[in-house]
Amino acid sequence: MSSPFFTEDHESIREMARDFAVKTLAPIAANVDKNEEFPMDVVKQMGDLGFLGLKIPEEYGGLGLDMRSYVCVMEEIAKKCAAATLFISSANSLSTAPIVISGTGEQKERYLPGVVSGEEFIAFGLTEPNAGSDAASMTTKAVEDGDGYILNGRKCFITMAPISKYCIVYAKTSPDKGAKGISCFMVDMSLPGVSCGRHEEKMGQRGVPVSDVVLEDVRVPKSCMIGEKDLGFINAMKTLSVGRVGVASMCLGMAAEAIELAVEHTKNRVQFGKPLCKHQAIAFMLAEMETKLNAARGLVYNAAWMMDNGEKADKAASMAKYYAAETGIEIVNKALQLFGGYGYSREYEIERIYRDIRVCSIYEGSSQVQQIVISGQMLK
């Protein structure tokens, strides 16, 4: 699909991702969902193709490409396997953006190459049981102790925590300052006092493990702080702005796949003497779905283009994530409806997509949080 937002290089990357998704991911996607396990050799393949280092600087093993390249890959991979996109988004966003944004040269050299190769995973520990959308109300604390800090707290719904070597943890170093008293730490998951909670049984995107991360008197050296003391919340918000465009791209891919499945099904399914798609009510449903998908594409592609051109894109990223997630869920829901009873069966791909896309209006900033960001920018 040609677009004024993309160059030939972008389209080449998109084609490579599409080929990998069709040949490698599509055949395993159902089993990944059923068994709740993603093959590590496939993660390594994604690393070899450069997908895990798309936005990582070349000096640390990445490709040093732009946001639009990331969008192209995420959109194509999501069409066949949403779980696979979590490894790509983690590597290019939540796991590495805090380090790329605020880390020292030594920290970048130490942590980034392993993520790019697919040999190491880094979890992103921001959310807590009583601090989801209101991240600034976190209770995890880091108390200065000689040449280090002692961390205590609990993070929840942490993607890839059980398989991660490290976890980026946000904790209050100056509790009386609220959001302005939060710092960011890199915590080795093998340290005494670090443990994972029970495996979360999720509705969708089941191929990637999620659990709590519990910190009990965990001592880390001061060299593990990422960025300056008390400036961690700014680091987290900048990271999430990148992540929002990634989630929006996932929604585009899943919605596009749902439409393609619905078109094929309604062409072949005969009811009342003719294919379903020949009934005007059905044809008009498809038209609405396609129109909304392309409207979402415009918002997502524009946000990525703004980021690549150095423009302030917080509002654009939030609008993209908000609309792509809500519209994507609507499109997939309608696609499942067009399958009738078959859509409710686990034998059909549309049922899995329905479960996989539902979380996209919740994580990395719920739709309501995006509305807060958007309206906040409008009413400044």
Side-chain angles (χ1 to χ4, degrees):
M1 185 193 70
S2 62
S3 167
F5 291 104
F6 300 112
T7 66
E8 287 186 14
D9 288 341
H10 291 129
E11 296 302 342
S12 294
I13 292 166
R14 182 187 291 278
E15 184 61 37
M16 181 170 67
R18 182 184 298 124
D19 185 67
F20 177 77
V22 170
K23 293 180 180 177
T24 304
L25 296 176
I28 66 170
N31 280 333
V32 165
D33 176 72
K34 181 180 178 180
N35 300 327
E36 296 190 71
E37 188 174 358
F38 196 92
M40 289 298 109
D41 63 312
V42 178
V43 176
K44 189 68 170 62
Q45 288 179 52
M46 292 194 287
D48 293 341
L49 288 168
F51 295 160
L52 306 182
L54 290 165
K55 298 182 75 277
I56 306 302
E58 291 182 72
E59 58 263 43
Y60 305 111
L63 299 181
L65 299 178
D66 56 16
M67 180 61 76
R68 284 169 292 171
S69 301
Y70 176 49
V71 165
C72 288
V73 172
M74 287 289 284
E75 187 175 355
E76 295 302 323
I77 296 298
K79 289 179 181 178
K80 300 303 178 185
C81 184
T85 64
L86 294 185
F87 288 95
I88 298 171
S89 65
S90 175
N92 287 282
S93 175
L94 297 188
S95 295
T96 57
I99 307 165
V100 173
I101 292 169
S102 305
T104 64
E106 183 180 348
Q107 288 171 334
K108 293 173 184 176
E109 187 67 47
R110 179 178 178 183
Y111 299 117
L112 296 181
V115 174
V116 170
S117 67
E119 294 170 357
E120 294 179 357
F121 304 114
I122 300 176
F124 180 81
L126 180 64
T127 301
E128 297 185 3
N130 294 309
S133 294
D134 182 16
S137 68
M138 69 176 63
T139 58
T140 298
K141 292 182 181 178
V143 178
E144 195 167 356
D145 181 62
D147 60 353
Y149 283 88
I150 305 295
L151 275 64
N152 279 283
R154 188 183 193 98
K155 300 295 181 178
C156 68
F157 300 127
I158 306 305
T159 301
M160 298 203 301
I163 59 173
S164 292
K165 184 173 182 178
Y166 303 101
C167 182
I168 293 170
V169 173
Y170 293 90
K172 286 191 171 177
T173 39
S174 300
D176 55 321
K177 294 182 180 179
K180 295 182 179 179
I182 294 170
S183 298
C184 179
F185 298 88
M186 182 67 78
V187 177
D188 189 320
M189 294 289 280
S190 66
L191 286 174
V194 182
S195 62
C196 288
R198 64 175 177 81
H199 169 73
E200 294 287 352
E201 292 279 354
K202 306 193 304 297
M203 173 182 177
Q205 301 190 11
R206 289 158 53 84
V208 180
V210 172
S211 75
D212 286 4
V213 173
V214 183
L215 306 156
E216 298 175 294
D217 293 328
V218 178
R219 182 180 178 83
V220 298
K222 289 185 176 179
S223 61
C224 285
M225 183 180 284
I226 301 172
E228 296 180 43
K229 182 182 177 182
D230 293 343
L231 294 182
F233 193 71
I234 296 171
N235 170 287
M237 293 305 103
K238 287 181 178 179
T239 296
L240 288 172
S241 189
V242 174
R244 284 163 185 164
V245 175
V247 173
S249 305
M250 291 168 54
C251 293
L252 295 183
M254 286 186 276
E257 180 75 359
I259 290 175
E260 187 173 326
L261 292 170
V263 167
E264 182 181 3
H265 179 74
T266 57
K267 281 181 176 180
N268 295 322
R269 173 75 166 162
V270 175
Q271 291 288 276
F272 304 103
K274 58 185 176 181
L276 276 178
C277 65
K278 295 297 183 181
H279 296 275
Q280 188 181 68
I282 304 301
F284 281 10
M285 278 180 71
L286 293 169
E288 182 184 24
M289 292 156 66
E290 180 73 3
T291 300
K292 288 188 174 182
L293 172 61
N294 280 279
R297 278 189 177 127
L299 284 169
V300 178
Y301 295 170
N302 179 65
W305 183 90
M306 288 176 68
M307 288 181 167
D308 287 342
N309 284 275
E311 297 186 21
K312 186 171 174 57
D314 290 349
K315 185 174 82 168
S318 283
M319 289 193 298
K321 203 270 187 183
Y322 168 53
Y323 189 79
E326 292 292 338
T327 301
I329 291 169
E330 178 188 342
I331 289 169
V332 174
N333 183 43
K334 286 183 176 178
L336 189 147
Q337 183 73 16
L338 291 172
F339 271 80
Y342 294 107
Y344 204 63
S345 168
R346 291 216 166 179
E347 291 184 29
Y348 285 76
E349 185 183 352
I350 190 65
E351 184 272 343
R352 186 180 74 248
I353 298 173
Y354 181 84
R355 288 185 289 106
D356 283 344
I357 200 170
R358 185 58 187 87
V359 74
C360 291
S361 66
I362 299 172
Y363 66 8
E364 294 199 39
S366 69
S367 290
Q368 289 65 43
V369 166
Q370 306 314 322
Q371 290 175 319
I372 291 171
V373 173
I374 295 162
S375 59
Q377 292 284 328
M378 294 169 65
L379 301 172
K380 264 187 177 179

